[in-house]
Amino acid sequence: ATGESEVVKVKSMATQEIGLNEALEAAGIRAYETDLAELIVQLGKDRPSHILVPAIHRNRGEIRDIFRDEMAAWGRPAPEGLTDTPAELAEAARLHLREKFLRAKVGISGANFMVAETGTLVVVESEGNGRMCLTLPETLISVVGIEKVVPAWRDLEVFLQTLPRSSTAERMNPYTSMWTGTTDEDGPSTFHLVLLDNGRTDTLADEVGRQALRCIRCSACLNVCPVYERAGGHAYGSVYPGPIGAILSPQLRGTGSEIDASLPYASSLCGACYEVCPVAIDIPEVLVHLRERVVQGGPVTRAGNKVVLRPAKGHAAERAAMRAARWAFGRPGALRAGQRLASRTRRFHPRTLPGPGRAWSATRELPPVPAEPFRDWWQRTHGGEAGGK
């Protein structure tokens, strides 16, 4: 409607989630990322690998080369003789982005929180680029997930303390910008708010999985996750990497694709993510819940409708093993006989697993079966009598 062909953007995971930049490009509109890390990712034709620091997988030398090779095609070129000194790289980005800020007529943002009491939107950041995008353009468009709404200012106070402490160990964010509609002669003259569902209402219908919507995107779970540490963010195939991505993406997008069906298994269930989560999302619980959905299928909500998912392919052996375990655990006599049989045949047990299990046992030792079951030991040592006393 404005006739503009370019926009400046505040770092926003919601717009990445829906592929907004690609949609704008297809419509002939160029979107410029203004967050330093997002700028590096965009210029490098890359993908974010961390919630808080999207370019954490790039070193200084790579960033210098990206600026040298790509900046000119997007606007002001990198300075001559640019080195990999952090101060020089930051200055090159500042000079490159300043032209965008002063020229752009349209800005696009997300929001960390929305206050229902007053209709106020809040963005927290550490560089100041967000405030430039929120105040200089004539038109501001904010795309915000519906889970970002808090009832009142009192609730916002809690989150403005919780988020920086859990993300960067700061008492408060360097820049906290708030806006409520438009104001004459101050900031954008036109404001549009787009409330984003994109699977969130369906997630809310899941009594176990809905707790993922409490996420405030602090990235604390990524920083302690041993799987993310070794696999990196790109392995998750989603804008949301790490433990929170392993439970959020399969709910927003479903488990129909191979990558989404595999995400609930991208965890050791060590529980470190739950321990550090400031909003107490029991990520291991949701992971197990989603694993059950992948293996067993069952009723879920999709686009507001109740549907029944079919079990995913490749899990027949797992389903059979779980059914056998359920049958045995429900019959004490059969369980007792199985334990005694396993103990008496322990010398014949293989040291490695056959078939597909070989990959697992190639780097691990199978735990030896005890010489006798616990039940028999308990009876032999008169444990039952001691317990009764």
Side-chain angles (χ1 to χ4, degrees):
T2 63
E4 295 297 319
S5 59
E6 60 182 24
V7 299
V8 288
K9 291 184 69 227
V10 187
K11 179 177 179 290
S12 167
M13 302 191 74
T15 59
Q16 292 174 3
E17 174 189 328
I18 61 176
L20 181 61
N21 284 13
E22 293 78 8
L24 290 174
E25 184 177 1
I29 300 171
R30 201 167 200 184
Y32 298 106
E33 296 289 350
T34 63
D35 174 82
L36 177 55
E38 290 287 358
L39 173 67
I40 295 167
V41 169
Q42 184 178 51
L43 293 180
K45 301 177 181 63
D46 203 351
R47 291 186 297 124
S49 63
H50 192 276
I51 288 178
L52 185 66
V53 193
I56 196 172
H57 57 289
R58 295 289 194 179
N59 61 40
R60 293 185 300 175
E62 292 174 324
I63 295 171
R64 176 201 58 204
D65 294 341
I66 289 172
F67 282 4
R68 284 177 175 176
D69 298 339
E70 304 295 337
M71 266 190 173
W74 289 79
R76 179 169 180 155
E80 292 291 334
L82 179 66
T83 70
D84 62 359
T85 304
E88 289 193 27
L89 295 174
E91 179 66 9
R94 190 187 75 84
L95 294 173
H96 177 82
L97 291 172
R98 184 55 60 97
E99 292 186 354
K100 303 286 191 300
F101 292 137
L102 296 177
R103 185 175 69 237
K105 302 295 183 182
V106 180
I108 296 179
S109 80
N112 293 96
F113 309 104
M114 295 186 292
V115 184
E117 183 179 49
T118 58
T120 301
L121 280 75
V122 183
V123 162
V124 295
E125 44 148 347
S126 59
E127 299 172 8
N129 64 292
R131 185 161 295 178
M132 301 287 275
C133 293
L134 297 171
T135 56
L136 292 179
E138 298 173 0
T139 300
L140 174 62
I141 304 166
S142 297
V143 183
V144 190
I146 56 177
E147 82 278 17
K148 297 297 186 180
V149 181
V150 299
W153 280 95
R154 179 176 297 177
D155 307 291
L156 179 63
E157 175 190 1
V158 175
F159 289 113
L160 288 183
Q161 296 180 64
T162 302
L163 178 56
R165 289 178 180 179
S166 295
S167 60
T168 56
E170 296 173 294
R171 294 185 60 189
M172 64 182 296
N173 286 90
Y175 294 89
T176 301
S177 301
M178 304 182 185
W179 67 101
T180 307
T182 60
T183 303
D184 293 340
E185 300 180 357
D186 183 16
S189 58
T190 305
F191 170 62
H192 301 278
L193 171 61
V194 180
L195 293 174
L196 178 66
D197 188 311
N198 201 38
R200 286 160 174 77
T201 300
D202 294 340
T203 303
L204 187 63
D206 187 329
E207 294 185 1
V208 177
R210 66 173 57 163
Q211 56 187 301
L213 297 177
R214 296 205 298 259
C215 177
I216 57 175
R217 312 291 192 264
C218 69
S219 76
C221 60
L222 282 72
N223 299 334
V224 300
C225 178
V227 175
Y228 173 84
E229 178 185 357
R230 288 158 177 79
H234 292 158
Y236 293 81
S238 165
V239 65
Y240 302 111
I244 186 60
I247 65 171
L248 187 59
S249 298
Q251 295 191 86
L252 296 180
R253 304 190 305 199
T255 54
S257 69
E258 183 178 355
I259 181 66
D260 289 323
S262 71
L263 286 178
Y265 294 89
S267 169
S268 64
L269 299 181
C270 67
C273 50
Y274 181 32
E275 293 178 3
V276 301
C277 180
V279 290
I281 301 173
D282 193 342
I283 294 178
E285 178 189 29
V286 183
L287 286 167
V288 173
H289 172 67
L290 292 176
R291 290 181 185 185
E292 179 184 1
R293 178 182 298 177
V294 171
V295 175
Q296 301 280 27
V300 297
T301 303
R302 287 286 177 268
N305 301 313
K306 293 286 187 181
V307 299
V308 178
L309 293 181
R310 299 181 62 182
K313 296 180 180 179
H315 294 273
E318 185 177 353
R319 285 195 297 273
M322 291 297 104
R323 288 170 184 166
R326 182 174 60 185
W327 183 89
F329 289 148
R331 294 164 175 79
L335 180 61
R336 186 182 301 113
Q339 289 175 334
R340 287 175 176 170
L341 179 62
S343 294
R344 291 170 183 172
T345 60
R346 58 197 300 262
R347 68 178 65 182
F348 303 109
H349 294 177
R351 293 177 177 245
T352 59
L353 294 175
R358 189 177 302 143
W360 188 89
S361 59
T363 56
R364 302 169 178 85
E365 292 185 0
L366 291 178
V369 176
E372 60 180 339
F374 175 78
R375 299 169 182 269
D376 294 352
W377 174 86
W378 187 256
Q379 292 178 357
R380 180 172 57 79
T381 58
H382 305 286
E385 295 180 7
K389 295 177 182 179

